Amino acid sequence: MAKYSPGKIKCHELCLGGCVNRKDTGCRVCRGPKDGRRCVAQCPEDKMLYQETMRCITKPNCIDRGGLLFEGLCLKDCPAGFSATNVELADVDFSNHTCYPCHQQCPKICEGSQIMYLADAERLEGCTIINGTLQIRMNEDHPHLVAELRRFLGRIQEIMGYLKVYRSNTLPSLEFLENLEIIHGQWELGHGKYSLMIYENANLQKLWNYGDYPMSLKLITGSMYFVYNPLLCISHIEVLKKMTTYNSTNDLISADSNGFMQSCNVVSLIVKSEVQSSRNVTIYWTRFNTAPSQQLMGYIIFFTPSDTSRSPYDGRDVCSEYSWQSKLVHLNDTNTSHKVFLAYNLTGLKPFTRYAYYIKTYLTDSLHNVTHRRIGQSIVHYFKTQIARPTPPLRVFTMRKTEDSITFSWKILKSEENLVQRYHVDVFVQPDDRKLLDQRNYCLNPREVEKEPEMVEECTAEMCCSVNSVFLDVPDFSDSDSDFYSRKKRSVELKKVSVQTAKIADEFQSIMYGFLSDSPSTETTSKVHRTKRDTENFRNRIYYNDFYAGGIEYTVSNLLPYTYYTFQLFACSAADSSYCSAYSIYSDRTDPSPVLQPLNLIVIKESPLDSSEANTIVISFKEPELANGAIVAFNVEIKILNAQSEGRKSRVECITRLEHERAGYEYRFRNLSIGEYAVRAQAVSLSGPDRFSDWYFAKVEEWKEPLVEDNSVRNGMITFGVLLGLTVGMIGGYVLYHKYKKHHDDKELLIENDGNEDGFVDCDLR
């Protein structure tokens, strides 16, 4: 797929991140290797790829840089299973700096080191021989500390000096040294006589996991030193002594200072669980039969969210963030209806979460020797709570935006990463209020450009997610009377802050709900947090979509430039909308567009009737259909083209949108001198002035008073003609009338009864 630089240049297919020309030498960054100044798909045959810089170099250059040759590559270190020095082959030439395959396991020699953090252990990853002393003083808090140490130190087989593990408060066991076979004790020993020293480890409860793999240890020189490990039972030390070949003459193993705070006589309890809902589970366990010297006070349920296997020895440090949570269950609080099992309903859990748990007795004993005290404890078991509605997305914010798109991102609780399966987004457009904008004169009081807020990646006390991340990620123990052995501190003041923050958020959401809905909302605050099923009731929604939780950002496209949009984001744990969270509301504007069409200007030619309307140019233009937000004003500019004087040759005037509408979308340049002019106009929107229109030509000519013609003679002649015509017409009509009447009287018929009875006319015959 072809890429384009910011200047719209089509880059070469091997370019990544823009270019200065279309050639493979004009790339700012190469998609693959780089040979000299050219970006290439692969290095030429006479060169190899140096992976540190993705450059094609020659073999001598690789060796000069301390690189190693491997399958056409120049590497800093050989990959797993290969070595450039420690290889048992007869025909190996170590001078050519090549990685050769190892027969079984590549030995790797590392210098002695002191490990206080996982970063220190990481430097020894893959080492099989420690050429010196290995000292471990681990105090870093990590949820999978032993597993991480096993990954870094698990391949160590030999220690040429001695091994010292001391004052490691977060270390529960030494299982991570699973392949350790020999401690030589050369050159020096701890305190001059010890090659294995384990002391002052407050939470060390186990050495090696002898049951999972055959363990044998050899101390060539020196003895063992175990002092003040309060939770390490002597029985574990005795097992280690039996499996180790060494001279025990100088052993110092204190029976009084090891395991004095741990009950080493453990009776196994049988436990099982039954998940009731997304937030509670019923735990069952067998009854514990106490000894005569004991009094059973209750049981302690230890539980913690865990996606991996846990050991009861993990997370016992009281200062650890990942310690086991605990619940003291008094005997009166248990369900004793079952003959064999006791039961307790554990509440306040997280939905759709895998939990590890185990049960331990809580009792008093008159025996002063704690190590011989008999207790009951189960092994670690697991359960998973049911699915439920997740917490609303936290801290929705803009990642990037353009004139037609907005890409936003959000945060979710880490404990709900597996719970959230999909998201639903509703997008609403918020039109600018024209009546409100018309109340302000933007010519006199122009709008100031808003500055983009600086993005803060981490949650702070001012961010809304700070309170949510504190309280929503902690199980609710409000229904219990006590929180025994709990390591979580709860602040009453922070709870008050969270309530106030929630009220402010609800007020804001109520306002937005009223804007988005067809009618003002009269519902309670709890109804404001709607689900996807309510979206059909909103008239301003322009877009909606469901998408899977594959990432934490989403892009909405085909938006209008510099327009205000409101987004409502739901987190869902299933396809059914009833498993969607309450929404998180978020609003932002798109960027202004630099390529919108300018105003369509028309110059109107008028014939002024008097001198007051002379020397005027009239232009007409309407508001553009597409603008960067609402139009608030217009700028009009005029300049004289043939000015004779040295006065001002151009001027810019501003009118508000409302004034222009009331003027019939026309504007008049008055009191102009005679000459030729060029005029143009531009719209001013909420984002600022847009592009000017093209220049249009207009001309102001000298005004002359219209000439008045003498039409009296013509008018008299017309009047005389009209009167003469009327007179002739009347005379002619009179003559015709009398002529017609006379002719009609000569032809009059005889009357039927004229007084002559015989019917004959009395007249003389001729």
Side-chain angles (χ1 to χ4, degrees):
M1 182 177 178
K3 298 293 183 182
Y4 292 84
S5 69
K8 303 300 180 182
I9 301 175
K10 184 178 180 180
C11 301
H12 194 274
E13 60 182 3
L14 296 177
C15 292
L16 181 66
C19 58
V20 296
N21 56 52
R22 300 183 180 183
K23 300 179 181 179
D24 57 2
T25 58
C27 303
R28 298 186 186 277
V29 180
C30 292
R31 186 179 299 276
K34 189 172 186 178
D35 184 17
R37 297 180 58 188
R38 296 176 55 248
C39 294
V40 295
Q42 60 183 11
C43 293
E45 295 182 358
D46 59 337
K47 293 183 179 181
M48 58 182 55
L49 177 63
Y50 185 51
Q51 285 193 328
E52 289 292 311
T53 60
M54 293 298 292
R55 298 269 183 169
C56 296
I57 62 175
T58 61
K59 180 179 177 180
N61 287 338
C62 176
I63 297 176
D64 292 342
R65 298 186 182 192
L68 301 173
L69 310 180
F70 177 74
E71 297 182 356
L73 301 176
C74 181
L75 306 179
K76 186 177 181 180
D77 296 301
C78 290
F82 293 82
S83 176
T85 54
N86 300 313
V87 183
E88 298 177 359
L89 296 176
D91 56 349
V92 168
D93 183 8
F94 294 117
S95 62
N96 58 12
H97 299 269
T98 302
C99 296
Y100 295 99
C102 302
H103 178 60
Q104 291 182 347
Q105 177 177 325
C106 293
K108 183 178 180 181
I109 301 176
C110 303
E111 296 299 322
S113 177
Q114 182 174 18
I115 298 174
M116 300 182 65
Y117 305 97
L118 287 175
D120 301 328
E122 188 176 6
R123 288 194 287 267
L124 300 180
E125 184 176 7
C127 298
T128 58
I129 300 175
I130 302 299
N131 190 25
T133 295
L134 181 62
Q135 301 185 43
I136 300 176
R137 186 182 180 182
M138 178 61 62
N139 288 305
E140 183 173 347
D141 194 14
H142 193 277
H144 311 295
L145 180 61
V146 174
E148 290 296 302
L149 289 174
R150 181 184 290 112
R151 182 162 67 95
F152 299 139
L153 307 179
R155 296 181 62 186
I156 296 177
Q157 296 177 348
E158 300 182 36
I159 299 175
M160 303 308 294
Y162 63 93
L163 173 63
K164 181 167 72 171
V165 182
Y166 68 108
R167 297 169 188 165
S168 300
N169 295 330
T170 59
L171 201 61
S173 73
L174 302 183
E175 294 176 350
F176 55 88
L177 295 171
E178 56 187 5
N179 287 309
L180 182 61
E181 297 177 356
I182 302 175
I183 302 177
H184 290 270
Q186 294 182 359
W187 309 306
E188 61 176 345
L189 294 172
H191 294 180
K193 60 178 83 170
Y194 306 110
S195 57
L196 177 60
M197 300 184 67
I198 313 293
Y199 65 93
E200 296 182 15
N201 300 287
N203 288 282
L204 183 65
Q205 304 163 67
K206 192 176 181 180
L207 297 176
W208 280 270
N209 196 358
Y210 310 110
D212 292 347
Y213 56 89
M215 172 70 185
S216 62
L217 183 63
K218 180 183 292 187
L219 307 183
I220 303 300
T221 304
S223 301
M224 295 185 183
Y225 181 85
F226 283 87
V227 174
Y228 204 81
N229 301 289
L231 298 181
L232 181 62
C233 294
I234 290 293
S235 58
H236 293 292
I237 303 176
E238 294 297 332
V239 172
L240 176 63
K241 291 178 62 176
K242 293 179 181 179
M243 303 182 67
T244 304
T245 303
Y246 77 111
N247 184 1
S248 60
T249 304
N250 296 320
D251 279 356
L252 178 55
I253 301 175
S254 174
D256 295 332
S257 64
N258 290 298
F260 66 91
M261 295 180 61
Q262 180 74 293
S263 298
C264 300
N265 186 6
V266 179
V267 177
S268 179
L269 298 178
I270 299 175
V271 299
K272 62 180 182 178
S273 61
E274 182 178 337
V275 177
Q276 303 295 333
S277 68
S278 61
R279 294 191 177 274
N280 67 83
V281 63
T282 301
I283 307 294
Y284 300 89
W285 65 91
T286 54
R287 300 171 185 267
F288 176 74
N289 297 320
T290 60
S293 60
Q294 296 175 326
Q295 181 180 359
L296 183 63
M297 307 297 293
Y299 297 86
I300 304 174
I301 302 177
F302 292 91
F303 61 99
T304 183
S306 178
D307 293 328
T308 60
S309 299
R310 292 293 298 265
S311 168
Y313 305 110
D314 298 338
R316 295 294 297 273
D317 182 15
V318 294
C319 299
S320 174
E321 181 182 352
Y322 311 101
S323 62
W324 290 84
Q325 301 175 31
S326 59
K327 177 67 180 179
L328 173 62
V329 180
H330 298 280
L331 291 178
N332 297 333
D333 298 332
T334 59
N335 187 347
T336 59
S337 59
H338 199 279
K339 294 182 179 179
V340 180
F341 290 94
L342 298 176
Y344 181 77
N345 190 28
L346 187 62
T347 61
L349 304 176
K350 300 174 184 177
F352 204 63
T353 303
R354 182 178 183 263
Y355 279 86
Y357 75 100
Y358 70 96
I359 306 291
K360 187 176 182 179
T361 56
Y362 178 59
L363 47 78
T364 60
D365 199 320
S366 59
L367 291 177
H368 297 288
N369 192 340
V370 179
T371 58
H372 294 88
R373 182 177 297 169
R374 180 172 168 270
I375 66 168
Q377 181 175 318
S378 70
I379 61 175
V380 177
H381 289 262
Y382 304 89
F383 65 83
K384 191 172 185 177
T385 53
Q386 296 178 3
I387 196 170
R389 294 176 62 183
T391 304
L394 307 174
R395 188 174 165 257
V396 186
F397 58 95
T398 298
M399 289 284 292
R400 54 190 175 273
K401 59 182 179 178
T402 64
E403 67 268 17
D404 62 352
S405 68
I406 293 179
T407 300
F408 59 90
S409 182
W410 60 92
K411 304 289 184 181
I412 61 174
L413 295 177
K414 188 175 182 180
S415 59
E416 295 186 353
E417 289 178 351
N418 296 328
L419 174 64
V420 177
Q421 301 297 319
R422 49 186 285 273
Y423 295 95
H424 176 87
V425 62
D426 289 321
V427 183
F428 300 86
V429 61
Q430 184 177 350
D432 296 311
D433 190 346
R434 173 167 290 187
K435 293 182 179 180
L436 180 62
L437 295 175
D438 286 341
Q439 296 176 9
R440 173 176 174 177
N441 190 325
Y442 283 86
C443 293
L444 300 178
N445 302 293
R447 183 173 183 267
E448 296 181 359
V449 180
E450 297 179 354
K451 294 183 179 180
E452 291 291 336
E454 296 182 0
M455 295 305 302
V456 182
E457 292 298 329
E458 299 297 330
C459 289
T460 62
E462 292 78 14
M463 301 302 295
C464 61
C465 65
S466 61
V467 177
N468 292 334
S469 63
V470 171
F471 292 99
L472 296 178
D473 209 20
V474 178
D476 181 14
F477 293 98
S478 58
D479 60 333
S480 60
D481 296 334
S482 60
D483 189 7
F484 193 72
Y485 286 168
S486 174
R487 312 305 180 194
K488 307 293 183 182
K489 295 183 179 180
R490 294 166 175 81
S491 172
V492 177
E493 294 181 358
L494 282 179
K495 287 185 178 180
K496 292 180 180 179
V497 173
S498 66
V499 173
Q500 294 174 358
T501 305
K503 288 181 178 179
I504 295 173
D506 287 338
E507 290 177 2
F508 172 71
Q509 290 171 348
S510 300
I511 296 173
M512 293 308 303
Y513 186 88
F515 158 71
L516 297 172
S517 61
D518 287 323
S519 59
S521 174
T522 57
E523 303 180 35
T524 59
T525 303
S526 60
K527 293 293 185 66
V528 173
H529 297 280
R530 64 184 182 88
T531 63
K532 176 178 174 290
R533 292 173 296 180
D534 304 322
T535 57
E536 289 77 7
N537 299 326
F538 291 83
R539 58 181 171 84
N540 292 311
R541 188 179 66 174
I542 62 168
Y543 175 82
Y544 67 93
N545 189 31
D546 293 294
F547 56 97
Y548 291 99
I552 54 172
E553 68 176 48
Y554 186 78
T555 301
V556 180
S557 304
N558 300 322
L559 303 179
L560 297 176
Y562 207 72
T563 303
Y564 204 68
Y565 292 93
T566 296
F567 304 86
Q568 293 183 352
L569 183 64
F570 303 81
C572 305
S573 56
D576 189 352
S577 60
S578 61
Y579 286 100
C580 289
S581 69
Y583 65 80
S584 291
I585 194 168
Y586 155 76
S587 300
D588 198 3
R589 279 189 184 272
T590 50
D591 284 341
S593 174
V595 294
L596 292 181
Q597 291 295 328
L599 295 174
N600 186 15
L601 195 66
I602 300 175
V603 178
I604 301 176
K605 295 183 178 180
E606 291 185 341
S607 298
L609 299 178
D610 54 32
S611 59
S612 62
E613 295 295 331
N615 301 339
T616 300
I617 294 178
V618 182
I619 59 175
S620 175
F621 54 89
K622 293 186 177 182
E623 297 182 25
E625 296 181 357
L626 183 61
N628 289 319
I631 299 297
V632 295
F634 296 95
N635 289 327
V636 290
E637 183 178 2
I638 185 170
K639 66 178 180 180
I640 189 167
L641 301 179
N642 55 353
Q644 300 297 327
S645 63
E646 297 182 357
R648 189 174 61 173
K649 296 182 179 181
S650 67
R651 73 172 188 256
V652 178
E653 300 176 5
C654 178
I655 54 174
T656 65
R657 189 210 66 82
L658 185 59
E659 292 172 346
H660 187 59
E661 181 182 17
R662 290 174 177 174
Y665 300 102
E666 294 181 355
Y667 185 78
R668 299 174 182 272
F669 293 98
R670 302 179 185 275
N671 302 323
L672 301 176
S673 58
I674 299 173
E676 296 177 347
Y677 291 86
V679 293
R680 65 177 181 174
Q682 76 174 161
V684 180
S685 63
L686 287 177
S687 66
D690 294 337
R691 293 169 55 195
F692 266 104
S693 67
D694 295 333
W695 288 101
Y696 288 82
F697 176 79
K699 188 174 183 180
V700 176
E701 298 178 339
E702 183 179 359
W703 183 80
K704 296 180 180 180
E705 185 175 358
L707 297 176
V708 180
E709 298 182 4
D710 188 5
N711 298 323
S712 59
V713 176
R714 184 186 63 180
N715 294 339
M717 294 296 293
I718 293 174
T719 304
F720 175 76
V722 171
L723 294 175
L724 180 61
L726 290 175
T727 304
V728 173
M730 291 176 63
I731 295 173
Y734 179 78
V735 172
L736 291 175
Y737 172 74
H738 283 279
K739 186 177 180 180
Y740 172 77
K741 185 176 181 182
K742 181 179 180 181
H743 178 73
H744 185 271
D745 292 344
D746 290 343
K747 295 183 177 182
E748 189 176 5
L749 296 176
L750 294 175
I751 300 174
E752 192 172 316
N753 187 8
D754 57 355
N756 194 349
E757 297 179 354
D758 55 6
F760 290 97
V761 178
D762 188 10
C763 62
D764 295 337
L765 295 176
R766 293 183 182 179

